[in-house]
């Protein structure tokens, strides 16, 4: 009977520890999901809209007219972005100008330019990051 009590005791302890660990990780995942979904007000507080920008493309004789909405990681980064509008604008122009008209056509082109801008704009800011870039106006000629 002594061995049976020890086995049952070990099983109970293992179940309690396993249940506690499962509860902890499930709560952690639920908390992460809550943090990542921002309300409309929070998005408005953390994002900036660029001016409409017209620039030549890498393909000869073509140009693009673009505007972006940039979501930043925090309010300090937004303030920094508002002070660095010339650098943000220059990064956008350089990025857009590096693509040909053929590369930018279609949904994949828009996705490609958004991803490239996230990388390039993150380098502009000293603190914080660029969470998302959305194309809000896009014309190719």
């Amino acid at each position: 009977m002594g061995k049976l009590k020890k086995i049952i005791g070990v099983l109970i302890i293992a179940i309690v520890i396993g249940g506690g660990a499962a509860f902890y990780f499930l709560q952690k995942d639920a908390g992460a999901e809550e943090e990542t979904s921002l309300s409309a007000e929070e998005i408005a507080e953390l994002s900036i809209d660029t001016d409409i920008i017209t620039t030549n493309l890498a393909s000869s004789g073509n140009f693009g007219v673009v505007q972006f909405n940039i979501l930043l990681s925090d309010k300090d980064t937004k303030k920094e972005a508002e002070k660095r509008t010339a650098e943000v604008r220059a990064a956008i122009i350089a990025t857009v100008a590096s693509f040909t008209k053929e590369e930018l056509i279609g949904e994949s082109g828009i996705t490609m330019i958004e991803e490239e801008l996230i990388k390039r704009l993150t380098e502009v800011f000293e603190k914080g990051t660029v969470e998302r870039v959305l194309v809000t106006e896009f014309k190719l000629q």
Side-chain angles (χ1 to χ4, degrees):
M1 271 317 238
K3 277 189 168 184
L4 185 59
K5 285 183 182 181
K6 286 182 183 180
I7 292 173
I8 291 174
V10 169
L11 284 174
I12 290 173
I13 291 173
I15 290 170
V16 169
I17 290 173
F23 178 77
Y24 171 77
F25 287 112
L26 290 174
Q27 291 295 352
K28 186 176 178 182
D29 287 344
E33 287 177 19
E34 289 174 12
E35 290 175 16
T36 57
S37 68
L38 298 173
S39 69
E41 292 82 20
E42 291 170 321
I43 290 173
E45 288 177 8
L46 297 175
S47 65
I48 60 169
D49 289 315
T50 66
D51 295 331
I52 295 174
I53 299 171
T54 302
T55 186
N56 291 325
L57 299 176
S59 51
S60 179
N62 297 117
F63 65 92
V65 178
V66 294
Q67 184 176 21
F68 298 95
N69 177 274
I70 303 166
L71 179 63
L72 302 158
S73 59
D74 54 58
K75 290 180 183 179
D76 290 336
T77 308
K78 181 180 177 179
K79 288 178 187 174
E80 182 181 1
E82 290 169 343
K83 292 176 184 174
R84 294 180 179 259
T85 55
E87 292 173 77
V88 169
R89 188 174 171 86
I92 290 170
I93 291 170
T95 302
V96 173
S98 69
F99 292 103
T100 64
K101 180 179 178 181
E102 291 74 28
E103 290 174 320
L104 295 177
I105 293 175
E107 186 178 342
S108 63
I110 291 173
T111 301
M112 186 170 49
I113 202 165
E114 289 172 344
E115 291 171 356
E116 187 62 33
L117 274 173
I118 289 171
K119 291 178 208 168
R120 194 166 247 170
L121 290 173
T122 298
E123 295 171 3
V124 169
F125 304 121
E126 293 176 2
K127 49 189 166 189
T129 59
V130 175
E131 298 294 318
R132 177 196 74 202
V133 172
L134 294 176
V135 174
T136 57
E137 182 157 337
F138 187 70
K139 296 175 189 165
L140 298 176
Q141 193 69 34

